[in-house]
Amino acid sequence: MRQNLVAGNWKMNLTYQEGLALVEEIVRLNAAGTGPEVVVCPPFPFLQGVGQALPQGGKLHLGAQNCHQKESGAFTGEVSAKMLASVGCEYVILGHSERRQYFGEDDELLSQKLKAALAASLKPIFCVGESLDTREADETFDFIGQQLASGLFHLSNEEFAHVTVAYEPIWAIGTGRTATSAQAQEVHAFIREQIARAYDAEAALNTTILYGGSANAQNARELFSQPDVDGGLIGGASLKAADFTTIIQSF
Ligand SMILES: O=C[C@H](O)COP(=O)(O)O
């Protein structure tokens, strides 16, 4: 179901104590319980504690930043989707450009991770996005189209209904260089069009598509005002409760 959603990706930041203080402040500032769905995605060791700080059954949800593609087994240091679900995760980020770039995650592996997440009843937030070189070569749409086709569109209609897509131009991540709202809107509209082609118009209308890349308390309202931008996947600004709350309140 298409919905307004803001997800905070803490990446590899904070200590457990700092993470607990942050989530408690986020809960306090968002106690009214109105507004978009909110997902907090801390590092693995914080998940259970952060989850326990979130009120049950409200608009604040727990998400992870990654999962392994297998259900269990001898994979030292890895974490399965089923484990994430067992500590209260509802969402998992997959295909983030940092995972693709630094950990060599390709479309084939991401396809397996998506299946594993869905099998554990997690809702994947699937990231796509082009590099600066790709944008400057005017190949953004081809590139995103390819990422969607090979990474995501192998899912059945029923599986795809649980997926949120995040458009994250790599050149905008952590750089302070945000896509303009027009740049975000044209790629979001393109993604929705590709979903309509791969599935149908209803699936396209029902898909939540987030923007990520230097979104902050100052630019979120403008970004979220675009017709195909349903919210944000927020990195740096999700580490400050007041900024994250301003973003949450930017619809
Ligand atoms: O997952 C979040 C994105 O990578 C955006 O990060 P950023 O808001 O720090 O640019």
Side-chain angles (χ1 to χ4, degrees):
M1 242 275 282
R2 184 169 173 183
Q3 54 195 357
N4 289 335
L5 190 153
V6 174
N9 178 7
W10 294 4
K11 307 192 180 182
M12 197 175 76
N13 291 299
L14 309 178
T15 62
Y16 181 58
Q17 289 72 23
E18 289 166 343
L20 278 188
L22 173 60
V23 74
E24 281 163 10
E25 188 64 358
I26 291 170
V27 169
R28 193 183 67 77
L29 293 173
N30 292 278
T34 53
E37 301 301 312
V38 176
V39 186
V40 178
C41 303
F44 288 144
F46 307 178
L47 282 169
Q48 192 170 11
V50 168
Q52 281 166 355
L54 299 173
Q56 292 299 301
K59 295 225 163 211
L60 300 175
H61 308 273
L62 187 65
Q65 300 174 21
N66 180 32
C67 71
H68 194 263
Q69 63 274 21
K70 299 281 190 201
E71 192 180 312
S72 63
F75 300 103
T76 301
E78 291 294 329
V79 175
S80 74
K82 197 173 166 184
M83 291 173 186
L84 297 176
S86 76
V87 294
C89 278
E90 292 177 65
Y91 291 82
V92 61
I93 299 169
L94 291 175
H96 194 284
S97 60
E98 289 152 14
R99 300 287 322 167
R100 294 178 191 259
Q101 184 180 348
Y102 304 134
F103 302 95
E105 297 195 0
D106 60 13
D107 292 332
E108 169 55 32
L109 178 66
L110 291 171
S111 300
Q112 293 173 30
K113 290 192 175 203
L114 273 169
K115 290 279 188 187
L118 291 164
S121 299
L122 294 178
K123 297 174 206 165
I125 299 174
F126 187 80
C127 306
V128 296
E130 81 287 0
S131 67
L132 189 58
D133 283 354
T134 301
R135 174 158 286 267
E136 286 176 346
D138 210 14
E139 289 168 357
T140 297
F141 294 121
D142 285 349
F143 185 81
I144 305 274
Q146 185 55 39
Q147 281 188 319
L148 292 168
S150 53
L152 191 56
F153 292 162
H154 56 90
L155 296 178
S156 68
N157 280 65
E158 203 190 1
E159 290 171 327
F160 184 77
H162 300 286
V163 174
T164 294
V165 178
Y167 168 55
E168 296 214 320
I170 296 168
W171 48 270
I173 296 175
T175 58
R177 182 178 168 185
T178 322
T180 64
S181 54
Q183 284 172 322
Q185 168 57 26
E186 73 170 355
V187 178
H188 282 231
F190 171 78
I191 291 170
R192 214 175 285 289
E193 196 182 293
Q194 299 308 299
I195 296 168
R197 283 186 189 200
Y199 297 96
D200 53 38
E202 200 187 335
L205 278 178
N206 285 338
T207 302
T208 302
I209 308 178
L210 309 180
Y211 169 79
S214 297
N216 59 38
Q218 286 72 45
N219 59 29
R221 189 171 293 280
E222 166 71 17
L223 286 161
F224 297 172
S225 70
Q226 300 303 305
D228 287 295
V229 178
D230 301 313
L233 177 55
I234 316 298
S238 73
L239 299 172
K240 292 181 188 146
D243 286 4
F244 191 52
T245 300
T246 301
I247 295 169
I248 291 166
Q249 293 171 350
S250 294
F251 290 92

